Amino acid sequence: MTARLKILAINGSERDGNTADVLRYAAAVAEARGVDFEAVDLRSIRMDRCGPCGDCNDRTIACEVTDGVPGVVRKMIEADGIVFAAPVHGFGTASLMQTFIERAGVGYLRFDRPLSNKVAGIVSVARRYSAGEVWAQLTVNALLNRMILVGSGFPATVHALHRGDALKDDEGLKNVSRMVDRMVDMIELLAEHRRLTGRDDLLASGDVNERVGLALNEIQVSV
């Protein structure tokens, strides 16, 4: 029996509020397509900030900080698609998501880019301002990890102020639906390719990570 495809959402909000509502809406869209959808709430895991050790740029092995981040990274690696969702706080990305990007990216993902060719979706939730800026930051993070972003029309930015407002933004939710549907289309296409060809070497980059060969940041990569 073929395992069900899965999308994992990373919720960078400190509250069970509008961002969570949007992800519950996205889950219904995915599950209607026969794809499992799980949301990880960063507020519910123990996540330390990057410490003063300062050796991240020189390390060739994963971060030694013991908290919930490596468990979330494992879930990301096991998933077929990942949605990064965060609200706008102080005209920027909510601090939980920013911390996770730093910890996961520098501590675990940069060595061999294990998220390569997974399908990514981006959601930002805002009262009105900086929704595009936060969406763009999360998009660049997905591209850094060599993920596949499928164009789905307008960005999935949802406007909300008070609790419950996100579910009243019909246009924003429509854009979320389009995004999830296109993610599922691409995930299914990639899965079909793997079944038919037996190959899993799509879009090979040719190098392990972007730091190899940089004179100012040379690292030794063990194979």
Side-chain angles (χ1 to χ4, degrees):
M1 181 177 178
T2 303
R4 281 169 61 97
L5 301 172
K6 181 174 183 178
I7 293 174
L8 182 75
I10 308 298
N11 181 0
S13 176
E14 291 88 348
R15 296 179 290 275
D16 181 7
N18 284 299
T19 305
D21 284 344
V22 172
L23 290 179
R24 283 187 278 266
Y25 177 88
V29 176
E31 289 163 2
R33 296 284 306 273
V35 174
D36 290 337
F37 191 103
E38 177 187 357
V40 171
D41 298 317
L42 295 180
R43 67 182 182 277
S44 299
I45 71 166
R46 186 171 71 82
M47 181 169 59
D48 297 329
R49 296 183 182 277
C50 285
C53 58
D55 65 352
C56 292
N57 287 327
D58 299 320
R59 292 177 64 84
T60 58
I61 59 175
C63 178
E64 294 181 349
V65 175
T66 303
D67 61 6
V69 172
V72 178
V73 171
R74 284 193 295 272
K75 285 177 174 284
M76 296 168 76
I77 293 171
E78 293 168 358
D80 300 288
I82 300 168
V83 172
F84 297 91
V88 174
H89 288 174
F91 296 95
T93 303
S95 60
L96 276 179
M97 180 63 87
Q98 181 63 37
T99 298
F100 180 75
I101 287 173
E102 293 173 11
R103 284 291 319 287
V106 178
Y108 302 94
L109 300 176
R110 70 177 173 91
F111 301 106
D112 55 3
R113 296 298 176 202
L115 304 185
S116 294
N117 299 329
K118 294 186 184 295
V119 180
I122 310 297
V123 174
S124 67
V125 180
R127 173 185 179 181
R128 184 174 302 275
Y129 309 104
S130 297
E133 287 85 344
V134 169
W135 182 89
Q137 180 195 357
L138 298 178
T139 295
V140 171
N141 177 67
L143 293 175
L144 171 64
N145 281 289
R146 304 178 182 180
M147 303 181 75
I148 297 173
L149 282 155
V150 184
S152 55
F154 294 133
T157 58
V158 181
H159 289 174
L161 174 58
H162 301 294
R163 175 65 197 269
D165 283 352
L167 297 180
K168 302 172 186 175
D169 182 5
D170 293 338
E171 182 176 358
L173 294 178
K174 183 63 176 178
N175 294 333
V176 171
S177 293
R178 291 188 181 115
M179 180 196 76
V180 174
D181 274 329
R182 294 277 285 172
M183 288 181 68
V184 172
D185 290 342
M186 179 56 75
I187 289 170
E188 291 178 342
L189 181 63
L190 295 173
E192 182 179 18
H193 178 275
R194 293 185 182 102
R195 286 194 301 270
L196 293 175
T197 66
R199 295 173 53 193
D200 196 21
D201 56 350
L202 301 172
L203 299 174
S205 66
D207 58 302
V208 177
N209 63 55
E210 301 75 27
R211 299 176 182 237
V212 176
L214 295 180
L216 296 179
N217 212 352
E218 185 68 29
I219 65 172
Q220 297 297 322
V221 179
S222 58
V223 179

mmCIF file of all heavy atoms in Angstrom, residues 170-211:
data_model
loop_
_atom_site.group_PDB
_atom_site.id
_atom_site.type_symbol
_atom_site.label_atom_id
_atom_site.label_comp_id
_atom_site.label_asym_id
_atom_site.label_seq_id
_atom_site.Cartn_x
_atom_site.Cartn_y
_atom_site.Cartn_z
ATOM 1 N N ASP A 170 -12.023 36.631 2.465
ATOM 2 C CA ASP A 170 -12.333 35.667 1.416
ATOM 3 C C ASP A 170 -11.246 35.599 0.347
ATOM 4 O O ASP A 170 -10.891 34.512 -0.126
ATOM 5 C CB ASP A 170 -13.677 36.011 0.759
ATOM 6 C CG ASP A 170 -14.854 35.825 1.706
ATOM 7 O OD1 ASP A 170 -14.707 35.055 2.679
ATOM 8 O OD2 ASP A 170 -15.914 36.441 1.478
ATOM 9 N N GLU A 171 -10.713 36.758 -0.049
ATOM 10 C CA GLU A 171 -9.686 36.747 -1.093
ATOM 11 C C GLU A 171 -8.406 36.092 -0.584
ATOM 12 O O GLU A 171 -7.783 35.293 -1.293
ATOM 13 C CB GLU A 171 -9.386 38.170 -1.563
ATOM 14 C CG GLU A 171 -8.364 38.205 -2.693
ATOM 15 C CD GLU A 171 -8.129 39.602 -3.243
ATOM 16 O OE1 GLU A 171 -8.787 40.553 -2.774
ATOM 17 O OE2 GLU A 171 -7.285 39.733 -4.146
ATOM 18 N N GLY A 172 -8.020 36.412 0.648
ATOM 19 C CA GLY A 172 -6.825 35.797 1.217
ATOM 20 C C GLY A 172 -6.958 34.287 1.305
ATOM 21 O O GLY A 172 -6.023 33.545 0.965
ATOM 22 N N LEU A 173 -8.114 33.810 1.759
ATOM 23 C CA LEU A 173 -8.319 32.372 1.878
ATOM 24 C C LEU A 173 -8.376 31.699 0.510
ATOM 25 O O LEU A 173 -7.915 30.557 0.354
ATOM 26 C CB LEU A 173 -9.611 32.085 2.647
ATOM 27 C CG LEU A 173 -9.608 32.503 4.124
ATOM 28 C CD1 LEU A 173 -10.962 32.211 4.755
ATOM 29 C CD2 LEU A 173 -8.495 31.790 4.897
ATOM 30 N N LYS A 174 -8.912 32.389 -0.484
ATOM 31 C CA LYS A 174 -8.909 31.841 -1.837
ATOM 32 C C LYS A 174 -7.484 31.643 -2.322
ATOM 33 O O LYS A 174 -7.162 30.626 -2.965
ATOM 34 C CB LYS A 174 -9.664 32.769 -2.787
ATOM 35 C CG LYS A 174 -9.774 32.231 -4.212
ATOM 36 C CD LYS A 174 -10.561 30.933 -4.247
ATOM 37 C CE LYS A 174 -10.757 30.444 -5.675
ATOM 38 N NZ LYS A 174 -11.484 29.156 -5.718
ATOM 39 N N ASN A 175 -6.618 32.595 -2.006
ATOM 40 C CA ASN A 175 -5.221 32.469 -2.404
ATOM 41 C C ASN A 175 -4.543 31.315 -1.672
ATOM 42 O O ASN A 175 -3.681 30.631 -2.237
ATOM 43 C CB ASN A 175 -4.475 33.778 -2.148
ATOM 44 C CG ASN A 175 -4.979 34.903 -3.028
ATOM 45 O OD1 ASN A 175 -5.496 34.666 -4.123
ATOM 46 N ND2 ASN A 175 -4.859 36.129 -2.557
ATOM 47 N N VAL A 176 -4.911 31.090 -0.407
ATOM 48 C CA VAL A 176 -4.391 29.941 0.336
ATOM 49 C C VAL A 176 -4.842 28.642 -0.332
ATOM 50 O O VAL A 176 -4.052 27.703 -0.507
ATOM 51 C CB VAL A 176 -4.847 29.986 1.810
ATOM 52 C CG1 VAL A 176 -4.482 28.681 2.534
ATOM 53 C CG2 VAL A 176 -4.220 31.177 2.531
ATOM 54 N N SER A 177 -6.117 28.576 -0.723
ATOM 55 C CA SER A 177 -6.635 27.377 -1.398
ATOM 56 C C SER A 177 -5.874 27.102 -2.683
ATOM 57 O O SER A 177 -5.490 25.948 -2.966
ATOM 58 C CB SER A 177 -8.121 27.546 -1.726
ATOM 59 O OG SER A 177 -8.905 27.603 -0.565
ATOM 60 N N ARG A 178 -5.664 28.150 -3.478
ATOM 61 C CA ARG A 178 -4.926 27.969 -4.732
ATOM 62 C C ARG A 178 -3.521 27.450 -4.451
ATOM 63 O O ARG A 178 -3.009 26.569 -5.150
ATOM 64 C CB ARG A 178 -4.855 29.290 -5.495
ATOM 65 C CG ARG A 178 -6.185 29.778 -6.051
ATOM 66 C CD ARG A 178 -5.959 30.985 -6.949
ATOM 67 N NE ARG A 178 -7.213 31.495 -7.497
ATOM 68 C CZ ARG A 178 -7.725 32.688 -7.215
ATOM 69 N NH1 ARG A 178 -7.089 33.503 -6.373
ATOM 70 N NH2 ARG A 178 -8.854 33.085 -7.760
ATOM 71 N N MET A 179 -2.872 28.027 -3.443
ATOM 72 C CA MET A 179 -1.508 27.617 -3.099
ATOM 73 C C MET A 179 -1.460 26.141 -2.715
ATOM 74 O O MET A 179 -0.621 25.381 -3.212
ATOM 75 C CB MET A 179 -0.978 28.473 -1.950
ATOM 76 C CG MET A 179 0.443 28.128 -1.528
ATOM 77 S SD MET A 179 0.853 28.811 0.105
ATOM 78 C CE MET A 179 -0.044 27.646 1.169
ATOM 79 N N VAL A 180 -2.371 25.726 -1.828
ATOM 80 C CA VAL A 180 -2.374 24.327 -1.375
ATOM 81 C C VAL A 180 -2.677 23.390 -2.541
ATOM 82 O O VAL A 180 -2.034 22.341 -2.700
ATOM 83 C CB VAL A 180 -3.377 24.129 -0.224
ATOM 84 C CG1 VAL A 180 -3.477 22.645 0.141
ATOM 85 C CG2 VAL A 180 -2.954 24.937 0.995
ATOM 86 N N ASP A 181 -3.641 23.747 -3.374
ATOM 87 C CA ASP A 181 -3.973 22.899 -4.520
ATOM 88 C C ASP A 181 -2.773 22.743 -5.454
ATOM 89 O O ASP A 181 -2.491 21.636 -5.942
ATOM 90 C CB ASP A 181 -5.155 23.480 -5.296
ATOM 91 C CG ASP A 181 -6.504 23.048 -4.731
ATOM 92 O OD1 ASP A 181 -6.581 21.922 -4.191
ATOM 93 O OD2 ASP A 181 -7.467 23.826 -4.829
ATOM 94 N N ARG A 182 -2.071 23.823 -5.703
ATOM 95 C CA ARG A 182 -0.905 23.746 -6.587
ATOM 96 C C ARG A 182 0.229 22.954 -5.930
ATOM 97 O O ARG A 182 0.960 22.221 -6.604
ATOM 98 C CB ARG A 182 -0.437 25.151 -6.948
ATOM 99 C CG ARG A 182 -1.419 25.937 -7.801
ATOM 100 C CD ARG A 182 -1.273 25.595 -9.260
ATOM 101 N NE ARG A 182 -0.083 26.221 -9.819
ATOM 102 C CZ ARG A 182 0.383 25.970 -11.047
ATOM 103 N NH1 ARG A 182 -0.210 25.065 -11.795
ATOM 104 N NH2 ARG A 182 1.456 26.591 -11.504
ATOM 105 N N MET A 183 0.371 23.097 -4.608
ATOM 106 C CA MET A 183 1.360 22.280 -3.906
ATOM 107 C C MET A 183 1.045 20.802 -4.071
ATOM 108 O O MET A 183 1.936 19.992 -4.370
ATOM 109 C CB MET A 183 1.387 22.637 -2.417
ATOM 110 C CG MET A 183 2.008 23.975 -2.085
ATOM 111 S SD MET A 183 2.021 24.273 -0.284
ATOM 112 C CE MET A 183 3.207 23.019 0.261
ATOM 113 N N VAL A 184 -0.219 20.443 -3.880
ATOM 114 C CA VAL A 184 -0.616 19.039 -4.007
ATOM 115 C C VAL A 184 -0.378 18.545 -5.431
ATOM 116 O O VAL A 184 0.123 17.434 -5.647
ATOM 117 C CB VAL A 184 -2.088 18.848 -3.601
ATOM 118 C CG1 VAL A 184 -2.556 17.434 -3.924
ATOM 119 C CG2 VAL A 184 -2.270 19.145 -2.113
ATOM 120 N N ASP A 185 -0.717 19.382 -6.423
ATOM 121 C CA ASP A 185 -0.479 18.999 -7.820
ATOM 122 C C ASP A 185 0.995 18.663 -8.040
ATOM 123 O O ASP A 185 1.330 17.646 -8.671
ATOM 124 C CB ASP A 185 -0.887 20.124 -8.768
ATOM 125 C CG ASP A 185 -2.388 20.327 -8.844
ATOM 126 O OD1 ASP A 185 -3.136 19.412 -8.441
ATOM 127 O OD2 ASP A 185 -2.815 21.416 -9.293
ATOM 128 N N MET A 186 1.891 19.515 -7.545
ATOM 129 C CA MET A 186 3.318 19.291 -7.762
ATOM 130 C C MET A 186 3.822 18.096 -6.959
ATOM 131 O O MET A 186 4.629 17.297 -7.448
ATOM 132 C CB MET A 186 4.104 20.544 -7.397
ATOM 133 C CG MET A 186 5.625 20.393 -7.567
ATOM 134 S SD MET A 186 6.130 19.901 -9.236
ATOM 135 C CE MET A 186 5.888 21.454 -10.125
ATOM 136 N N ILE A 187 3.356 17.950 -5.727
ATOM 137 C CA ILE A 187 3.757 16.799 -4.908
ATOM 138 C C ILE A 187 3.356 15.496 -5.601
ATOM 139 O O ILE A 187 4.141 14.541 -5.671
ATOM 140 C CB ILE A 187 3.130 16.896 -3.506
ATOM 141 C CG1 ILE A 187 3.794 18.025 -2.709
ATOM 142 C CG2 ILE A 187 3.267 15.575 -2.759
ATOM 143 C CD1 ILE A 187 3.079 18.357 -1.417
ATOM 144 N N GLU A 188 2.131 15.458 -6.133
ATOM 145 C CA GLU A 188 1.671 14.253 -6.825
ATOM 146 C C GLU A 188 2.478 14.006 -8.096
ATOM 147 O O GLU A 188 2.798 12.852 -8.435
ATOM 148 C CB GLU A 188 0.185 14.377 -7.146
ATOM 149 C CG GLU A 188 -0.708 14.326 -5.916
ATOM 150 C CD GLU A 188 -2.175 14.492 -6.238
ATOM 151 O OE1 GLU A 188 -2.498 14.987 -7.346
ATOM 152 O OE2 GLU A 188 -3.009 14.124 -5.384
ATOM 153 N N LEU A 189 2.815 15.082 -8.810
ATOM 154 C CA LEU A 189 3.607 14.943 -10.033
ATOM 155 C C LEU A 189 4.989 14.375 -9.722
ATOM 156 O O LEU A 189 5.477 13.467 -10.422
ATOM 157 C CB LEU A 189 3.733 16.300 -10.719
ATOM 158 C CG LEU A 189 4.507 16.333 -12.041
ATOM 159 C CD1 LEU A 189 3.799 15.492 -13.100
ATOM 160 C CD2 LEU A 189 4.682 17.773 -12.518
ATOM 161 N N LEU A 190 5.626 14.886 -8.674
ATOM 162 C CA LEU A 190 6.947 14.394 -8.288
ATOM 163 C C LEU A 190 6.875 12.938 -7.830
ATOM 164 O O LEU A 190 7.762 12.128 -8.143
ATOM 165 C CB LEU A 190 7.531 15.265 -7.176
ATOM 166 C CG LEU A 190 7.839 16.718 -7.556
ATOM 167 C CD1 LEU A 190 8.255 17.510 -6.327
ATOM 168 C CD2 LEU A 190 8.926 16.780 -8.626
ATOM 169 N N ALA A 191 5.821 12.597 -7.070
ATOM 170 C CA ALA A 191 5.669 11.216 -6.611
ATOM 171 C C ALA A 191 5.468 10.271 -7.797
ATOM 172 O O ALA A 191 6.013 9.159 -7.816
ATOM 173 C CB ALA A 191 4.494 11.125 -5.640
ATOM 174 N N GLU A 192 4.687 10.717 -8.784
ATOM 175 C CA GLU A 192 4.468 9.884 -9.969
ATOM 176 C C GLU A 192 5.775 9.691 -10.729
ATOM 177 O O GLU A 192 6.073 8.583 -11.208
ATOM 178 C CB GLU A 192 3.422 10.521 -10.878
ATOM 179 C CG GLU A 192 3.108 9.689 -12.115
ATOM 180 C CD GLU A 192 2.052 10.334 -12.994
ATOM 181 O OE1 GLU A 192 1.808 11.541 -12.847
ATOM 182 O OE2 GLU A 192 1.481 9.614 -13.828
ATOM 183 N N HIS A 193 6.558 10.729 -10.848
ATOM 184 C CA HIS A 193 7.854 10.629 -11.528
ATOM 185 C C HIS A 193 8.744 9.602 -10.833
ATOM 186 O O HIS A 193 9.384 8.768 -11.485
ATOM 187 C CB HIS A 193 8.543 12.000 -11.534
ATOM 188 C CG HIS A 193 9.911 11.981 -12.167
ATOM 189 N ND1 HIS A 193 11.037 11.630 -11.459
ATOM 190 C CD2 HIS A 193 10.316 12.252 -13.433
ATOM 191 C CE1 HIS A 193 12.089 11.695 -12.253
ATOM 192 N NE2 HIS A 193 11.678 12.073 -13.457
ATOM 193 N N ARG A 194 8.757 9.643 -9.501
ATOM 194 C CA ARG A 194 9.603 8.691 -8.764
ATOM 195 C C ARG A 194 9.113 7.258 -8.976
ATOM 196 O O ARG A 194 9.918 6.332 -9.123
ATOM 197 C CB ARG A 194 9.605 9.046 -7.275
ATOM 198 C CG ARG A 194 10.281 10.381 -6.970
ATOM 199 C CD ARG A 194 10.355 10.634 -5.468
ATOM 200 N NE ARG A 194 10.950 11.937 -5.199
ATOM 201 C CZ ARG A 194 10.272 13.024 -4.874
ATOM 202 N NH1 ARG A 194 8.951 12.965 -4.765
ATOM 203 N NH2 ARG A 194 10.892 14.159 -4.654
ATOM 204 N N ARG A 195 7.794 7.063 -8.981
ATOM 205 C CA ARG A 195 7.252 5.718 -9.183
ATOM 206 C C ARG A 195 7.594 5.182 -10.572
ATOM 207 O O ARG A 195 7.946 4.011 -10.744
ATOM 208 C CB ARG A 195 5.731 5.711 -8.996
ATOM 209 C CG ARG A 195 5.275 5.827 -7.549
ATOM 210 C CD ARG A 195 3.796 5.456 -7.427
ATOM 211 N NE ARG A 195 2.946 6.300 -8.253
ATOM 212 C CZ ARG A 195 2.398 7.444 -7.844
ATOM 213 N NH1 ARG A 195 2.624 7.870 -6.609
ATOM 214 N NH2 ARG A 195 1.632 8.151 -8.653
ATOM 215 N N LEU A 196 7.472 6.045 -11.585
ATOM 216 C CA LEU A 196 7.656 5.595 -12.957
ATOM 217 C C LEU A 196 9.120 5.395 -13.320
ATOM 218 O O LEU A 196 9.447 4.526 -14.134
ATOM 219 C CB LEU A 196 7.021 6.599 -13.924
ATOM 220 C CG LEU A 196 5.493 6.715 -13.874
ATOM 221 C CD1 LEU A 196 5.006 7.828 -14.790
ATOM 222 C CD2 LEU A 196 4.848 5.385 -14.266
ATOM 223 N N THR A 197 9.997 6.214 -12.736
ATOM 224 C CA THR A 197 11.415 6.159 -13.123
ATOM 225 C C THR A 197 12.290 5.450 -12.100
ATOM 226 O O THR A 197 13.400 5.019 -12.435
ATOM 227 C CB THR A 197 11.972 7.577 -13.317
ATOM 228 O OG1 THR A 197 11.992 8.267 -12.060
ATOM 229 C CG2 THR A 197 11.137 8.359 -14.329
ATOM 230 N N GLY A 198 11.805 5.352 -10.860
ATOM 231 C CA GLY A 198 12.647 4.792 -9.812
ATOM 232 C C GLY A 198 13.779 5.711 -9.418
ATOM 233 O O GLY A 198 14.703 5.310 -8.700
ATOM 234 N N ARG A 199 13.720 6.957 -9.864
ATOM 235 C CA ARG A 199 14.797 7.921 -9.603
ATOM 236 C C ARG A 199 14.332 8.971 -8.599
ATOM 237 O O ARG A 199 13.173 9.352 -8.566
ATOM 238 C CB ARG A 199 15.215 8.620 -10.896
ATOM 239 C CG ARG A 199 15.836 7.705 -11.925
ATOM 240 C CD ARG A 199 16.050 8.457 -13.228
ATOM 241 N NE ARG A 199 16.796 9.699 -13.011
ATOM 242 C CZ ARG A 199 16.892 10.658 -13.952
ATOM 243 N NH1 ARG A 199 16.282 10.513 -15.113
ATOM 244 N NH2 ARG A 199 17.589 11.745 -13.688
ATOM 245 N N ASP A 200 15.284 9.428 -7.800
ATOM 246 C CA ASP A 200 14.995 10.483 -6.830
ATOM 247 C C ASP A 200 16.057 11.573 -6.896
ATOM 248 O O ASP A 200 16.397 12.194 -5.898
ATOM 249 C CB ASP A 200 14.927 9.893 -5.418
ATOM 250 C CG ASP A 200 14.254 10.841 -4.436
ATOM 251 O OD1 ASP A 200 13.502 11.729 -4.884
ATOM 252 O OD2 ASP A 200 14.506 10.715 -3.220
ATOM 253 N N ASP A 201 16.603 11.770 -8.095
ATOM 254 C CA ASP A 201 17.704 12.719 -8.262
ATOM 255 C C ASP A 201 17.263 13.939 -9.066
ATOM 256 O O ASP A 201 17.986 14.454 -9.915
ATOM 257 C CB ASP A 201 18.895 12.048 -8.936
ATOM 258 C CG ASP A 201 18.532 11.424 -10.284
ATOM 259 O OD1 ASP A 201 17.329 11.346 -10.597
ATOM 260 O OD2 ASP A 201 19.454 11.021 -11.015
ATOM 261 N N LEU A 202 16.059 14.414 -8.789
ATOM 262 C CA LEU A 202 15.538 15.570 -9.514
ATOM 263 C C LEU A 202 16.347 16.822 -9.210
ATOM 264 O O LEU A 202 16.757 17.056 -8.070
ATOM 265 C CB LEU A 202 14.078 15.827 -9.109
ATOM 266 C CG LEU A 202 13.085 14.695 -9.362
ATOM 267 C CD1 LEU A 202 11.752 15.043 -8.733
ATOM 268 C CD2 LEU A 202 12.934 14.468 -10.845
ATOM 269 N N LEU A 203 16.575 17.636 -10.210
ATOM 270 C CA LEU A 203 17.180 18.952 -10.033
ATOM 271 C C LEU A 203 18.431 18.901 -9.163
ATOM 272 O O LEU A 203 18.608 19.691 -8.242
ATOM 273 C CB LEU A 203 16.164 19.919 -9.414
ATOM 274 C CG LEU A 203 14.900 20.177 -10.233
ATOM 275 C CD1 LEU A 203 13.921 21.041 -9.448
ATOM 276 C CD2 LEU A 203 15.228 20.840 -11.563
ATOM 277 N N ALA A 204 19.292 17.961 -9.452
ATOM 278 C CA ALA A 204 20.527 17.846 -8.674
ATOM 279 C C ALA A 204 21.351 19.116 -8.830
ATOM 280 O O ALA A 204 21.502 19.656 -9.928
ATOM 281 C CB ALA A 204 21.318 16.637 -9.148
ATOM 282 N N SER A 205 21.891 19.598 -7.717
ATOM 283 C CA SER A 205 22.600 20.882 -7.747
ATOM 284 C C SER A 205 24.077 20.728 -8.087
ATOM 285 O O SER A 205 24.717 21.671 -8.539
ATOM 286 C CB SER A 205 22.477 21.577 -6.388
ATOM 287 O OG SER A 205 23.167 20.828 -5.401
ATOM 288 N N GLY A 206 24.628 19.560 -7.820
ATOM 289 C CA GLY A 206 26.036 19.356 -8.123
ATOM 290 C C GLY A 206 26.970 19.688 -6.983
ATOM 291 O O GLY A 206 28.135 19.305 -6.995
ATOM 292 N N ASP A 207 26.490 20.419 -5.986
ATOM 293 C CA ASP A 207 27.322 20.704 -4.821
ATOM 294 C C ASP A 207 26.489 20.495 -3.563
ATOM 295 O O ASP A 207 25.270 20.605 -3.585
ATOM 296 C CB ASP A 207 27.911 22.123 -4.850
ATOM 297 C CG ASP A 207 26.841 23.188 -4.935
ATOM 298 O OD1 ASP A 207 26.062 23.160 -5.899
ATOM 299 O OD2 ASP A 207 26.769 24.048 -4.047
ATOM 300 N N VAL A 208 27.165 20.183 -2.477
ATOM 301 C CA VAL A 208 26.473 19.833 -1.241
ATOM 302 C C VAL A 208 25.786 21.038 -0.629
ATOM 303 O O VAL A 208 24.641 20.978 -0.203
ATOM 304 C CB VAL A 208 27.474 19.209 -0.237
ATOM 305 C CG1 VAL A 208 26.775 18.903 1.091
ATOM 306 C CG2 VAL A 208 28.076 17.946 -0.818
ATOM 307 N N ASN A 209 26.495 22.157 -0.537
ATOM 308 C CA ASN A 209 25.904 23.388 -0.029
ATOM 309 C C ASN A 209 26.628 24.587 -0.625
ATOM 310 O O ASN A 209 27.642 24.443 -1.308
ATOM 311 C CB ASN A 209 25.897 23.419 1.511
ATOM 312 C CG ASN A 209 27.289 23.407 2.095
ATOM 313 O OD1 ASN A 209 28.118 24.247 1.766
ATOM 314 N ND2 ASN A 209 27.568 22.441 2.963
ATOM 315 N N GLU A 210 26.093 25.754 -0.364
ATOM 316 C CA GLU A 210 26.561 26.964 -1.037
ATOM 317 C C GLU A 210 27.913 27.457 -0.524
ATOM 318 O O GLU A 210 28.543 28.297 -1.154
ATOM 319 C CB GLU A 210 25.526 28.091 -0.857
ATOM 320 C CG GLU A 210 24.158 27.775 -1.398
ATOM 321 C CD GLU A 210 23.392 26.803 -0.527
ATOM 322 O OE1 GLU A 210 23.649 26.753 0.692
ATOM 323 O OE2 GLU A 210 22.567 26.050 -1.073
ATOM 324 N N ARG A 211 28.364 26.946 0.617
ATOM 325 C CA ARG A 211 29.598 27.461 1.216
ATOM 326 C C ARG A 211 30.846 26.792 0.659
ATOM 327 O O ARG A 211 31.934 27.329 0.818
ATOM 328 C CB ARG A 211 29.538 27.278 2.735
ATOM 329 C CG ARG A 211 28.387 28.044 3.374
ATOM 330 C CD ARG A 211 28.301 27.762 4.867
ATOM 331 N NE ARG A 211 27.166 28.472 5.452
ATOM 332 C CZ ARG A 211 27.260 29.326 6.458
ATOM 333 N NH1 ARG A 211 28.425 29.600 6.985
ATOM 334 N NH2 ARG A 211 26.189 29.927 6.925
#
